[in-house]
Amino acid sequence: MTYTKKEFKREFKKRLQERFQLSVEDASDQELYETLGRLVTSHYSKNWKDTWEERTEFKQKQMYYFSIEFLPGKMLKNNLLNLGMLDTVEAGLKELGIELEDLVEEEPDMALGNGGLGRLASCFMDSLASIEMPGNGNGIRYECGLFKQKFVDGHQVELPDEWLNSDNIWEVRRESHAVNVHFGGDVELMESQSGQLKPVYSGGYTIRAVPYDTAMTGFENKTVNDMRLWSADITEAERMKFQNFKDRKELDYLTSVLYPDDSDDSGRRFRLSQEYFFVSAGIQSIINQFKALDVPVTEINQYISIHINDTHPALCIPEFMRILMDEENIPWEKAWDITVKVMSYTNHTIMSEAFEKWHISLIKEVCPRVFQIIEEIDRRFVENAQGIYDQELIERTRIITNEQVHMVHLSIIGSHSVNGVAKLHSELLKTVVLKDFYGMYPERFNNKTNGIAPRRWLQLANPLLSETLDTHIGTSWRSDINDLNLLLNHTDNKQVLKELAEVKYQNKQRLADYIETHNQVVVSPDAIFDVQIKRLHAYKRQLMNLMHILKLYFDLKENPDLEMTPRVFIFGAKAAPSYRFAKSVIKLINETADLVNNDPDIQDKLKVVFLENYNVSLAEIIIPAADVSQQISLASKEASGTSNMKFMMNGAITLATLDGANIEIKDAVGDENIAIFGLTEEEVYRYYEERNYDSKDIYHNNLVIKRVVDAFIDGTIPNSAVEGQEIYDSLITYNDEFFLLRDFMSYCEAQEWVDKSYQDKEKWQKMSLINIANGGHFSADDTVRKYSEDIWQIEPLRKH
Ligand code: 26Q
């Protein structure tokens, strides 16, 4: 059933004519893109329908991944690859005088997430379909995705991302699956005729939730799962019924914008409404689908599994209880037993100050019945714990304290599984952050180290490397990524090493072109491309990277003949709009870039580039071109990281602290193929215990450090006195919360090792090869396989 170029061209031209009454020469890229996209959807539509129907037919257990963020990026090439059409279509288009890449440009990035957590959800969607597991997404169809970032005079400016302005060809609006979500009002419990307590509602309002489904295609198979995103459907007339301005605004915000914070506890009312909205709609729709199976609702835990991606969807627990009890008449004890069996929870952050909490008055206002249920879960938790645990422990672990609902507590108490996202992170949850809960429910805690979708991050992002791999190790790695380790047979093969170096060079050239177009900075692919791309956050320590750049700058100013491998430092990062510190770091990096790039003394030894608007598509260009992957968070703070995995799979050398999944990367590639520096997690915790960290002491006793830190306030970096002062204060006045000064010298040494190692081309290339060859350790296919077996208890889909 191969699809030939000839067939493709015929079908494409026919569709173009039918849809736009145009021939290829007269069509715009937008029209060509839309035509191609619709052609692609028609190629998976039967499998989508079949996967859907087989659910009811075979009654296999389904998993639903609830996430307030999904970050799929672009779909076109991913779907073409999965359908086995990529090469044919690319070649066919070429014969029609069209470059596939030009059409790809027309597709907006689907940026419905902030960073790691949202991208992980999308990698999981890709992997679930690719290993043919029944797993579906449930989230929010934000009309505006994460803001677009621009730099104006070096400052970050945020613009709305109106990605739905052009038609979204991948989604299907399913009017017939719409459900109503009830908000607010009062609720009282009244005894029904049968003697049960039933809620009686008064007031409040109901919002229609309409699902938009997007096909999640599997790689070269017939599985097409669903990513269901909910949209609030409010007509202007309905909207005007709301006299109260606050309520009206809440309605408007419900599915319009994604909150642009990553890991910050800004408890805002609209966000809670969003959480309840997609949770309630999702659960109602699951129950509706389940009803088609015609089995007793008391057995629902054998048919469905619900995953809570961090605490944002934690209201799944009381909402599921509400439906079982109020609508299905199941008594509390049985309903609770079922709920705990259905729910599982992943924690993505170690910093307890970032744990989600909501004031009880807010929850009461948004979803009063759900609040009653949370109170009852809390009451029973406390009651059951009496006599077993001491009072203090109970107070520390209960759900409601100081008028706050602790979403982490709710998530743990209401789930049968709690997992962290890397070995270290999961250990820290057990021994430090969630120690009390580990004592109560040791069997619930487990680790699932994150992974990445190898199709997007290797096959699609790096076609040159993919071809080279095909030549030397065959193509089996494309369907089983663990076969990348066949490359280990070639560690001393000069020809292979040379070809890999050539691939890297070409990818660097492509990035250099991008940089020249977008930043008007010329960089050479002969320099080391040293990259840090991730959300801007103090704990991720972009500032330490900047401090090292300043050190090199001073070294070169002092001694222009200094021997040094030319280096391009590349940044990509968005800061939460309200995060002052992060925005100051952006400003300082941009000003330093201007200073360094235009200083004739520096020649081309040092370049600094901050790329605007970092997103999934930009990552796909940057990662294959990186020589060095900077993963330099303070040990214990980065739960896992996932870009670290993407980089190593593409042959970059990791420069890292022993944090998150960096530790597992080190174990996979071996100590000699990674650059590790800095405090260990134990050493960090020792400082916390002994409370003896003193940044001033380091500052006054180390001239190198003093020189660099002073640069923030002595006018070295132009146009940034206010930002520089703020940064200086964070390091000196406020005692350097993330121990940058403590790790700085060790970081500089590791950077010197990078400089030296790069000069030995063959040694470097061999390290790079070993990194690629071990990429299979971090495939999300394996990660979701483990979730499927240990947590969700789902099995590969049966197919006709
Ligand atoms: C909370 C309250 C209000 C508004 C927003 C938020 C919010 C939003 C996003 C809180 C947290 C997030 C995202 C967290 C996140 O992305 N964590 C990352 O998850 C990755 C996948 O597991 C890990 O690899 C990263 O280490 C972790 O930082």
Side-chain angles (χ1 to χ4, degrees):
M1 254 225 338
T2 47
Y3 185 58
T4 65
K5 226 172 12 181
K6 200 164 152 208
E7 283 167 321
F8 163 69
K9 286 197 292 184
R10 193 185 316 124
E11 192 188 346
F12 183 76
K13 286 192 285 192
K14 182 161 169 272
R15 283 176 171 276
L16 185 62
Q17 186 188 314
E18 282 171 3
R19 174 76 176 82
F20 293 108
Q21 300 77 45
L22 288 174
S23 50
V24 170
E25 305 74 50
D26 300 323
S28 68
D29 282 350
Q30 167 59 34
E31 288 155 343
L32 296 171
Y33 160 69
E34 194 184 319
T35 305
L36 179 60
R38 301 251 176 237
L39 181 153
V40 170
T41 62
S42 77
H43 279 248
Y44 61 61
S45 61
K46 178 164 186 311
N47 287 338
W48 199 5
K49 172 176 151 289
D50 288 349
T51 307
W52 182 271
E53 287 173 357
E54 282 154 358
R55 275 193 199 177
T56 340
E57 190 180 341
F58 298 126
K59 302 188 179 182
Q60 279 189 275
K61 189 175 183 184
Q62 297 279 327
M63 188 280 290
Y64 299 90
Y65 198 83
F66 277 60
S67 180
I68 204 161
E69 304 192 357
F70 285 93
L71 208 42
K74 301 189 189 210
M75 307 278 199
L76 179 60
K77 278 207 281 184
N78 207 243
N79 281 330
L80 283 169
L81 177 77
N82 287 347
L83 295 170
M85 292 163 59
L86 182 60
D87 295 340
T88 309
V89 165
E90 190 161 16
L93 286 173
K94 218 173 222 121
E95 289 181 10
L96 296 172
I98 304 166
E99 284 301 323
L100 175 60
E101 286 307 320
D102 291 340
L103 307 196
V104 168
E105 283 285 301
E106 293 296 317
E107 179 175 0
D109 259 45
M110 208 172 174
L112 311 185
N114 276 286
L117 168 143
R119 183 55 231 172
L120 184 79
S122 288
C123 280
F124 280 10
M125 288 296 109
D126 180 314
S127 287
L128 280 162
S130 292
I131 65 165
E132 306 196 70
M133 286 292 178
N136 309 285
N138 188 80
I140 298 178
R141 180 180 176 270
Y142 301 102
E143 277 132 48
C144 286
L146 187 62
F147 65 86
K148 287 205 157 121
Q149 178 193 53
K150 281 234 163 291
F151 295 142
V152 176
D153 295 332
H155 293 284
Q156 168 177 293
V157 173
E158 301 94 27
L159 304 173
D161 168 41
E162 287 160 0
W163 69 292
L164 285 166
N165 271 353
S166 53
D167 210 16
N168 175 8
I169 54 179
W170 309 109
E171 66 183 11
V172 179
R173 181 180 160 104
R174 296 208 192 279
E175 204 67 52
S176 63
H177 292 241
V179 297
N180 288 326
V181 178
H182 190 76
F183 284 95
D186 286 311
V187 58
E188 247 183 287
L189 292 181
M190 306 262 216
E191 204 164 318
S192 69
Q193 280 169 341
S194 61
Q196 279 176 308
L197 286 178
K198 285 280 163 192
V200 177
Y201 295 86
S202 56
Y205 50 96
T206 297
I207 293 185
R208 216 164 80 94
V210 185
Y212 286 72
D213 289 353
T214 301
M216 295 287 112
T217 56
F219 178 62
E220 294 184 347
N221 65 33
K222 289 185 173 177
T223 296
V224 183
N225 289 328
D226 265 355
M227 175 173 66
R228 172 159 283 189
L229 303 180
W230 295 93
S231 182
D233 196 48
I234 316 153
T235 62
E236 190 54 27
E238 276 175 322
R239 193 178 161 262
M240 293 319 284
K241 282 191 216 151
F242 291 89
Q243 304 297 318
N244 185 327
F245 176 75
K246 207 170 71 175
D247 285 349
R248 212 185 279 170
K249 205 163 150 75
E250 181 162 347
L251 279 181
D252 291 341
Y253 272 77
L254 209 45
T255 53
S256 60
V257 280
L258 161 77
Y259 275 102
D261 290 299
D262 72 335
S263 65
D264 122 357
D265 176 38
S266 34
R268 270 160 307 182
R269 154 196 179 87
F270 298 138
R271 166 113 178 155
L272 183 67
S273 305
Q274 288 186 329
E275 293 182 358
Y276 185 59
F277 176 75
F278 93 104
V279 158
S280 178
I283 298 222
Q284 291 185 57
S285 126
I286 291 170
I287 303 263
N288 291 342
Q289 286 171 36
F290 167 77
K291 292 255 163 102
L293 303 185
D294 201 23
V295 292
V297 71
T298 46
E299 289 168 21
I300 192 168
N301 54 296
Q302 295 169 37
Y303 297 89
I304 69 160
S305 164
I306 291 178
H307 199 79
I308 303 174
N309 194 27
D310 216 286
T311 58
H312 320 136
L315 291 176
C316 276
I317 293 161
E319 177 69 1
F320 198 66
M321 283 292 285
R322 182 185 73 77
I323 294 185
L324 292 183
M325 294 190 305
D326 296 353
E327 285 169 25
E328 303 298 329
N329 299 313
I330 298 175
W332 180 284
E333 289 76 12
K334 181 71 191 162
W336 182 248
D337 177 60
I338 298 172
T339 301
V340 174
K341 283 182 178 145
V342 165
M343 304 290 163
S344 49
Y345 154 63
T346 298
N347 171 292
H348 295 266
T349 180
I350 200 79
M351 292 195 268
S352 47
E353 62 272 23
F355 285 178
E356 225 187 351
K357 299 179 220 52
W358 295 105
H359 196 272
I360 52 172
S361 61
L362 194 57
I363 303 206
K364 231 186 255 181
E365 201 184 319
V366 171
C367 42
R369 175 65 183 137
V370 159
F371 179 69
Q372 287 180 342
I373 295 172
I374 296 174
E375 276 186 309
E376 183 62 10
I377 299 174
D378 180 56
R379 193 190 67 74
R380 288 179 185 239
F381 171 78
V382 172
E383 187 178 84
N384 292 334
Q386 300 292 354
I388 308 177
Y389 305 110
D390 66 57
Q391 211 50 44
E392 275 177 19
L393 177 64
I394 297 174
E395 284 305 314
R396 285 202 302 273
T397 49
R398 65 183 298 176
I399 299 167
I400 306 174
T401 46
N402 297 326
E403 308 205 311
Q404 302 272 330
V405 174
H406 293 248
M407 303 302 262
V408 171
H409 302 193
L410 174 62
S411 304
I412 300 172
I413 293 167
S415 302
H416 67 280
S417 168
V418 178
N419 75 281
V421 288
K423 279 183 196 159
L424 173 66
H425 171 57
S426 298
E427 277 312 304
L428 289 171
L429 291 181
K430 290 196 292 191
T431 55
V432 185
V433 192
L434 302 176
K435 189 168 166 223
D436 291 335
F437 288 104
Y438 180 57
M440 292 178 160
Y441 309 110
E443 71 293 345
R444 294 190 183 181
F445 284 74
N446 64 93
N447 173 246
K448 294 285 168 286
T449 299
N450 284 165
I452 58 170
R455 272 102 16 214
R456 179 174 294 265
W457 297 106
L458 181 50
Q459 295 202 48
L460 289 172
N462 205 339
L464 296 177
L465 177 56
S466 301
E467 280 164 34
T468 306
L469 292 171
D470 289 346
T471 316
H472 297 288
I473 62 171
T475 56
S476 63
W477 66 273
R478 289 181 182 261
S479 37
D480 182 0
I481 194 72
N482 288 304
D483 278 355
L484 280 180
N485 65 23
L486 294 170
L487 200 56
L488 291 174
N489 298 328
H490 302 279
T491 42
D492 296 310
N493 182 331
K494 290 212 160 75
Q495 179 60 25
V496 173
L497 293 174
K498 200 177 122 220
E499 284 177 37
L500 290 175
E502 180 58 26
V503 163
K504 184 62 83 181
Y505 192 87
Q506 287 191 40
N507 287 332
K508 286 165 79 173
Q509 185 60 61
R510 177 171 71 147
L511 179 57
D513 294 342
Y514 184 95
I515 291 172
E516 188 170 354
T517 312
H518 291 83
N519 290 44
Q520 289 78 46
V521 177
V522 178
V523 300
S524 160
D526 289 315
I528 302 176
F529 278 22
D530 183 329
V531 183
Q532 190 176 18
I533 43 173
K534 47 187 78 257
R535 278 301 283 258
L536 217 141
H537 219 287
Y539 82 81
K540 296 179 188 278
R541 303 199 294 190
Q542 281 95 347
L543 179 57
M544 192 165 71
N545 189 347
L546 174 63
M547 285 168 57
H548 171 249
I549 294 170
L550 288 167
K551 175 185 178 294
L552 291 180
Y553 178 65
F554 298 142
D555 291 348
L556 281 168
K557 288 296 272 184
E558 214 161 273
N559 178 8
D561 297 326
L562 188 77
E563 223 174 277
M564 177 186 144
T565 317
R567 229 194 276 200
V568 185
F569 289 95
I570 297 163
F571 292 90
K574 287 180 182 175
S578 59
Y579 191 177
R580 274 186 57 113
F581 170 90
K583 289 186 136 179
S584 294
V585 173
I586 291 182
K587 169 73 171 161
L588 286 164
I589 296 174
N590 277 325
E591 289 296 338
T592 304
D594 262 0
L595 176 72
V596 170
N597 297 344
N598 298 313
D599 188 329
D601 290 351
I602 301 304
Q603 296 149 10
D604 284 339
K605 286 194 175 153
L606 200 56
K607 293 274 180 228
V608 182
V609 175
F610 204 138
L611 290 166
E612 251 173 10
N613 201 38
Y614 174 59
N615 61 10
V616 170
S617 292
L618 188 50
E620 290 168 13
I621 301 174
I622 298 174
I623 291 169
D627 295 307
V628 178
S629 150
Q630 294 223 33
Q631 309 297 338
I632 61 178
S633 52
L634 174 66
S636 78
K637 294 291 179 273
E638 189 69 89
S640 161
T642 42
S643 75
N644 45 4
M645 303 167 182
K646 296 163 196 165
F647 278 111
M648 62 90 79
M649 198 181 270
N650 281 278
I653 307 303
T654 311
L655 168 58
T657 49
L658 288 173
D659 200 14
N662 302 342
I663 299 174
E664 288 156 77
I665 292 180
K666 169 181 150 304
D667 292 344
V669 302
D671 294 359
E672 42 329 323
N673 300 304
I674 188 168
I676 296 291
F677 73 95
L679 293 173
T680 62
E681 157 267 322
E682 281 100 353
E683 289 165 336
V684 171
Y685 274 88
R686 199 169 312 133
Y687 273 119
Y688 293 154
E689 265 154 42
E690 297 175 2
R691 296 167 190 269
N692 58 353
Y693 183 70
D694 183 359
S695 67
K696 280 198 195 76
D697 187 48
I698 305 177
Y699 169 78
H700 288 298
N701 288 300
N702 185 316
L703 286 175
V704 177
I705 290 180
K706 187 161 188 312
R707 173 76 187 92
V708 169
V709 173
D710 286 346
F712 294 121
I713 50 165
D714 68 7
T716 307
I717 310 171
N719 314 316
S720 47
V722 176
E723 293 83 3
Q725 186 66 49
E726 188 184 350
I727 296 306
Y728 177 91
D729 287 341
S730 80
L731 294 171
I732 306 302
T733 319
Y734 301 112
N735 202 26
D736 184 19
E737 186 181 354
F738 297 104
F739 301 170
L740 279 73
L741 303 196
R742 178 66 179 77
D743 274 351
F744 185 70
M745 294 317 288
S746 155
Y747 176 57
C748 291
E749 270 171 45
Q751 282 287 24
E752 274 167 36
W753 176 87
V754 167
D755 181 292
K756 297 276 159 327
S757 306
Y758 194 81
Q759 286 169 16
D760 184 345
K761 284 272 142 42
E762 209 171 294
K763 178 180 165 204
W764 186 271
Q765 212 42 63
K766 192 167 157 178
M767 288 198 290
S768 172
L769 178 149
I770 292 171
N771 272 271
I772 300 167
N774 285 292
H777 283 99
F778 301 99
S779 164
D781 297 0
D782 281 338
T783 310
V784 298
R785 212 171 267 123
K786 290 180 188 138
Y787 274 89
S788 300
E789 280 167 21
D790 302 348
I791 301 178
W792 304 325
Q793 264 100 45
I794 51 171
E795 282 171 7
L797 283 159
R798 279 179 62 194
K799 288 273 155 202
H800 280 298

